[in-house]
Amino acid sequence: MRIDLANNDDRPLFFRLAMAMVRRVTGLELGPLLLISYERRFIAGALKRYILRGMRGQGAWTKGEAELFAGFVSSLNSCRF
Amino acid sequence: MLDLDARLVEAVLADWKSAPVTPRLRAGLALVEAVTLRPAEPMDALVVDARAAGLDDAAVEDAANVAFHFNLINRAADAFDFTRPTARQLPRLARLLDRMKFMRSGPRASPSWTKAPDGALRPVEVQAGYARLLEAPCASSPEHRRAAEAFCAHQRGARRDGAVPAELRHYLGKVATAAHKVVDEDVAALRAAGWSDRALFEVTMAGAFGASVVGLETLFGALYAQGT
């Protein structure tokens, strides 16, 4: 990762626990989790819930359809992630 | 992909217009493509087509929400060079995230949209996020974040524009339109110019937000402008 997002004491406790669990189970520093859990005053609760709705496909589309949309967007953006 | 055939996914990624998908899914893909590639172009005809294919407003919104989210995440992931999960890590990661109950999103706001002071129609949660993302006392100045948001939105066709510091223009231009082209040297140059990692994170997120929100604004305008 190009910048240091992992060392951040302002991150809410439950996100620190979640990331520790992800790190333990997969060995990963999961970028999107680091991103949405950056300081509470920066990423508001409402926006976080909104982002999660997009990320998890909790809405009018099935999880598979939402993942297809996600993969489609990443392909259009030539995203390397 | 959890409940779609892998070959179907490949067909969509290769050419979504000819892929054997339902009219409903094709209409969703058309919305996602427009929000991603042509965010400032009128979307009224797309909304008409989507409704004809059986999509209600919630389905149109949700397709756009996924597009917004991944336009944002893609930009951050490429700008910051997120570590990619391996094929072996992915299933374990998906199972783990599924178990995390607090990661759920909660109910949709009703009404789902609001008219912002600048006249744009945005999802309620996105508008709520603007205030903190751009104005909260953080490592970077609100002035820089506001400028980054508007600068990147402009790069994607929005009318608003922002005067970002000269050393940020090249980097934020990439974040807005070709984040996969960001390289280590871009970030190193900004660090050398005095930008801390935290400040860089914040202006990058503000810029990625501005670049990603333009398509949402256009689509919500097409959906709801007549009701304002």
Side-chain angles (χ1 to χ4, degrees):
Chain A
M1 207 171 298
R2 285 197 182 100
I3 68 170
D4 181 14
L5 281 177
N7 295 309
N8 176 4
D9 292 336
D10 295 326
R11 182 166 282 124
L13 177 65
F14 57 86
F15 270 111
R16 273 187 271 163
L17 292 172
M19 285 188 307
M21 202 185 298
V22 169
R23 205 178 299 123
R24 193 170 158 189
V25 172
T26 68
L28 267 179
E29 286 290 359
L30 190 61
L33 261 185
L34 291 171
L35 188 154
I36 62 168
S37 64
Y38 186 76
E39 294 187 42
R40 200 186 295 262
R41 61 187 167 181
F42 184 69
I43 306 260
L47 180 62
K48 203 175 293 176
R49 286 193 297 277
Y50 179 78
I51 287 175
L52 285 171
R53 191 187 304 152
M55 202 160 105
R56 307 294 295 269
Q58 295 160 347
W61 302 90
T62 67
K63 193 165 181 183
E65 287 168 337
E67 287 185 2
L68 177 66
F69 291 156
F72 185 44
V73 171
S74 299
S75 163
L76 295 173
N77 285 330
S78 306
C79 179
R80 294 172 296 200
F81 181 58
Chain B
M1 303 291 164
L2 295 177
D3 57 3
L4 287 180
D5 181 82
R7 278 172 301 184
L8 183 62
V9 173
E10 277 178 30
V12 167
L13 296 186
D15 181 8
W16 66 275
K17 288 180 181 171
S18 66
V21 296
T22 62
R24 182 177 183 275
L25 187 53
R26 194 181 314 283
L29 289 165
L31 292 165
V32 167
E33 192 208 36
V35 166
T36 302
L37 293 185
R38 297 177 298 281
E41 291 183 16
M43 296 186 192
D44 306 73
L46 268 177
V47 168
V48 171
D49 291 348
R51 285 178 175 145
L55 270 62
D56 59 14
D57 288 352
V60 172
E61 283 186 22
D62 284 342
N65 291 345
V66 176
F68 166 77
H69 170 71
F70 280 90
N71 271 299
L72 183 66
I73 292 281
N74 285 172
R75 285 175 170 78
D78 277 334
F80 303 142
D81 198 20
F82 281 174
T83 308
R84 285 176 285 275
T86 63
R88 201 161 154 242
Q89 288 169 328
L90 266 177
R92 277 188 286 176
L93 189 59
R95 280 197 299 275
L96 187 62
L97 291 177
D98 271 343
R99 287 207 299 269
M100 292 182 180
K101 303 278 189 231
F102 69 87
M103 290 279 287
R104 312 242 158 176
S105 62
R108 180 195 305 273
S110 180
S112 59
W113 57 275
T114 185
K115 188 171 187 176
D118 63 2
L121 303 190
R122 300 193 181 107
V124 170
E125 298 99 329
V126 169
Q127 186 56 32
Y130 255 93
R132 290 207 190 182
L133 199 74
L134 301 186
E135 307 298 338
C138 292
S140 58
S141 75
E143 183 191 5
H144 284 153
R145 273 175 274 152
R146 284 196 295 269
E149 192 276 341
F151 175 82
C152 288
H154 188 70
Q155 299 290 307
R156 297 265 288 158
R159 285 187 195 159
R160 61 186 182 279
D161 200 356
V164 295
E167 73 270 19
L168 277 177
R169 288 183 69 87
H170 177 67
Y171 168 74
L172 284 178
K174 284 188 185 179
V175 169
T177 59
H180 60 286
K181 293 185 178 171
V182 172
V183 292
D184 292 348
E185 288 74 14
D186 294 325
V187 173
L190 290 169
R191 277 208 195 95
W195 287 83
S196 69
D197 279 18
R198 281 191 161 211
L200 272 179
F201 171 76
E202 292 163 12
V203 293
T204 304
M205 288 304 296
F209 195 86
S212 307
V213 84
V214 178
L216 269 188
E217 293 168 357
T218 308
L219 185 65
F220 273 64
L223 273 176
Y224 301 120
Q226 288 180 338
T228 60

